[in-house]
Amino acid sequence: MAPEVGCAGEKAAARIMIIAQIADTHLVAADGADPMFEARTENLRACVADINGLDPLPDVVIHTGDLTQNGVAAEFDHAQTLLAALKMPLYVTPGNRDGREGMARAFAADGYMPPDCAFVHYAVDGHPVRLVAMDSLADDGAAKGDFCPARLTSLDATLAQAPARPTALFMHHPPFDVPAAPDPFAYQRRQAVADLAAVVARHPQVVRIFTGHMHRPCVATVGGVAASTVPSVAVDKRYGDYAASMEGQPVYHVHRFERDWGFSSESRLVVSQADL
Ligand SMILES: [Fe+2]
């Protein structure tokens, strides 16, 4: 049976949902004398302005991790100052650079993350597509990802709560090989990814998986579901073939969900505000 969208009485327009996805902003703090402060600040500021100028506006923005370079409070503060300009709700999931505790502390006031923070896992309801954030961080703090049994059990239970609602997962580490990357596999264990794919395959309402971490675009299939990475917003850390003329232009993704055919996605090339 095809998943239902929305509920009775929902206006027709709400059956379309637009998600803007940004990732890997790697922001540094102004007080750290890091030479990338201004460039990465400008990259995110330009993205925020571009997202706010889209017509129609996205319903939500998701950030799939590595919001910060070092996971310190000053970097999260700086990020929140920039992201506060967004006209729509923002949902974040931690990257290996962020750490889960620092991110959960920074965004606690927004109310959507679990306060105890054994892992950052939550669901966002109230939109045509249910969003489920998955914490892909390894418990030992390593750059590569992992899923512990508790997280997979929690995901299974969260998905079981709403079996008829189209659902998109978002996490930092892509649970698939990215062949163009120097190290194509982002997890510590193959079994972790196989276990995630098995959970996804048990819940046919899962229609997309959005990730970051690789700083380059790639698409694959996980548990029968389309999954993708997004280029890094931080242009100095972006990989892939981009023309030199695009050096000042960050890239992000716009995912559009339609009831009849699911998600379609496009890359959005941002013109730096400094160039306008
Ligand atoms: Fe990153």
Side-chain angles (χ1 to χ4, degrees):
M1 187 177 73
E4 296 175 6
V5 179
C7 55
E10 189 177 37
K11 60 184 180 181
R15 295 180 182 276
I16 297 174
M17 182 173 178
I18 300 174
I19 300 169
Q21 181 194 6
I22 56 179
D24 295 287
T25 39
H26 288 262
L27 290 171
V28 295
D31 59 1
D34 190 307
M36 295 316 300
F37 169 75
E38 289 189 9
R40 292 183 191 167
T41 296
E42 173 54 26
N43 290 161
L44 179 54
R45 183 178 286 127
C47 270
V48 167
D50 197 82
I51 291 168
N52 283 341
L54 293 176
D55 182 15
L57 278 175
D59 297 277
V60 301
V61 175
I62 58 173
H63 192 303
T64 46
D66 279 1
L67 179 58
T68 66
Q69 177 69 14
N70 302 294
V72 298
E75 293 174 347
F76 283 116
D77 289 347
H78 180 46
Q80 287 178 307
T81 298
L82 296 170
L83 293 166
L86 284 169
K87 295 178 179 176
M88 63 294 292
L90 167 73
Y91 301 102
V92 300
T93 192
N96 46 285
R97 285 283 180 176
D98 301 311
R100 58 173 68 104
E101 292 83 7
M103 177 166 269
R105 195 180 310 119
F107 287 88
D110 291 358
Y112 58 82
M113 282 193 187
D116 53 356
C117 201
F119 42 83
V120 176
H121 170 80
Y122 59 89
V124 179
D125 293 300
H127 299 286
V129 177
R130 190 177 192 229
L131 300 174
V132 174
M134 187 74 181
D135 181 335
S136 64
L137 302 192
D139 289 331
D140 63 3
K144 289 204 168 192
D146 201 3
F147 297 119
C148 57
R151 271 178 274 174
L152 294 164
T153 299
S154 180
L155 176 64
D156 202 33
T158 297
L159 295 175
Q161 291 168 354
R165 300 207 57 216
T167 299
L169 305 184
F170 65 108
M171 66 194 74
H172 184 59
H173 299 85
F176 53 87
D177 283 297
V178 177
D183 186 354
F185 190 58
Y187 284 79
Q188 294 181 329
R189 301 177 300 125
R190 289 272 167 192
Q191 189 60 47
V193 166
D195 290 344
L196 176 76
V199 174
V200 169
R202 282 201 294 274
H203 298 277
Q205 81 272 23
V206 178
V207 292
R208 274 299 299 268
I209 300 172
F210 303 120
T211 75
H213 186 64
M214 287 299 195
H215 298 202
R216 67 175 78 226
C218 188
V219 296
T221 303
V222 175
V225 174
S228 58
T229 61
V230 64
S232 59
V233 167
V235 172
D236 67 294
K237 297 183 77 66
R238 185 171 67 200
Y239 303 129
D241 296 326
Y242 293 92
S245 60
M246 296 164 60
E247 269 181 8
Q249 297 178 263
V251 172
Y252 66 96
H253 282 176
V254 178
H255 309 289
R256 180 185 177 93
F257 178 83
E258 305 260 5
R259 179 183 175 88
D260 291 339
W261 59 80
F263 273 105
S264 58
S265 300
E266 63 176 320
S267 287
R268 179 86 184 167
L269 181 65
V270 176
V271 176
S272 169
Q273 297 302 293
D275 295 334
L276 292 178

